[in-house]
Amino acid sequence: MLRVSFLTVVLVALIASLQLPMSTANLPAFVKKAKKYTPLLFFKVPPGQIPECDEMEKMISKLEKENGIRVERLDIMRDRMARKLYEKVVEGNMRASFPVLYHRESLQRVYGLADKDLVRSWSKGRLLPDLNAKNEKEMVVLGGDEDEMEGEEMDLEEIELQMDQELTPAQRRGKEAMRRRMEEGRKK
């Protein structure tokens, strides 16, 4: 009988504490709120390890405050699952410098310390410039050889249709999610 009453007292105290406004840091792990989804990932290391990560952290914090977005930070030195995800994201890329920003819906990556405009474009899911291109304003269009397309003038709808045909199902879902978010943003 004593054991049951002790458990009920503990349960009542736990329920009462949940009704008071307080941070979730003091709560047990099973009571904490689930993380809210964000398409923006920032792979980093603990502060002080890599100066570029510290600079990018400052830049992302300012961007979050200015634009009201949320970027999920994944510490690859402290979290094994974050390390595995990082390895999948940079898989096959030999130039992967650190830190790495990854957009889940547009599947775009930003490697190393980047300027604020590039990070802002990444956070909005916009098409990032190809850094290997001769002219930064040049855009790479998927599909077709350059020789074939030289004499042909394609309008934007044809290019859009051609690009859609070459997307994987995951990329199509990401593109649709971005389109829905943009439409919701216009309505507000």
Side-chain angles (χ1 to χ4, degrees):
M1 186 77 166
L2 181 62
R3 184 175 264 159
V4 173
S5 63
F6 176 73
L7 289 175
T8 55
V9 169
V10 170
L11 187 59
V12 168
L14 182 61
I15 291 172
S17 68
L18 290 176
Q19 293 174 352
L20 297 174
M22 59 184 234
S23 71
T24 59
N26 300 332
L27 297 176
F30 65 88
V31 179
K32 291 183 182 178
K33 293 181 182 177
K35 290 183 181 178
K36 190 174 179 184
Y37 172 80
T38 178
L40 309 173
L41 299 178
F42 172 39
F43 293 98
K44 64 183 203 99
V45 294
Q49 299 286 328
I50 300 177
E52 290 85 4
C53 283
D54 297 340
E55 289 297 316
M56 188 65 81
E57 176 69 41
K58 291 176 189 174
M59 192 182 310
I60 288 176
S61 295
K62 286 180 185 176
L63 195 64
E64 284 178 321
K65 290 176 186 173
E66 290 173 4
N67 296 345
I69 60 172
R70 192 176 78 75
V71 177
E72 185 175 346
R73 289 156 176 80
L74 300 170
D75 189 339
I76 66 164
M77 292 182 82
R78 295 182 179 161
D79 186 5
R80 188 174 8 156
M81 297 308 287
R83 176 71 181 184
K84 296 244 184 229
L85 184 59
Y86 169 76
E87 289 171 357
K88 287 288 185 186
V89 166
V90 298
E91 187 174 49
N93 189 347
M94 302 311 276
R95 68 177 186 96
S97 58
F98 215 73
V100 176
L101 301 173
Y102 180 66
H103 196 291
R104 293 184 207 184
E105 293 173 359
S106 69
L107 305 177
Q108 295 190 70
R109 300 164 187 86
V110 176
Y111 297 100
L113 186 60
D115 66 332
K116 192 169 184 174
D117 292 333
L118 183 68
V119 175
R120 184 179 295 119
S121 295
W122 164 82
S123 71
K124 294 179 180 180
R126 293 183 180 153
L127 182 65
L128 300 177
D130 183 13
L131 298 177
N132 296 330
K134 296 172 191 167
N135 182 0
E136 284 190 21
K137 295 183 180 179
E138 188 176 308
M139 184 177 89
V140 178
V141 179
L142 301 175
D145 291 337
E146 290 180 20
D147 299 335
E148 289 177 12
M149 298 177 71
E150 232 173 64
E152 299 177 20
E153 286 293 321
M154 296 180 75
D155 64 351
L156 290 176
E157 290 178 15
E158 289 178 36
I159 293 172
E160 184 79 22
L161 287 173
Q162 186 176 8
M163 288 175 68
D164 282 347
Q165 290 173 350
E166 295 179 0
L167 293 176
T168 65
Q171 290 172 325
R172 280 193 194 105
R173 287 192 304 270
K175 185 175 180 181
E176 288 301 316
M178 286 187 342
R179 188 174 290 146
R180 283 192 304 269
R181 270 201 347 247
M182 293 298 290
E183 289 173 3
E184 289 172 4
R186 286 186 202 130
K187 290 178 184 177
K188 291 182 181 179

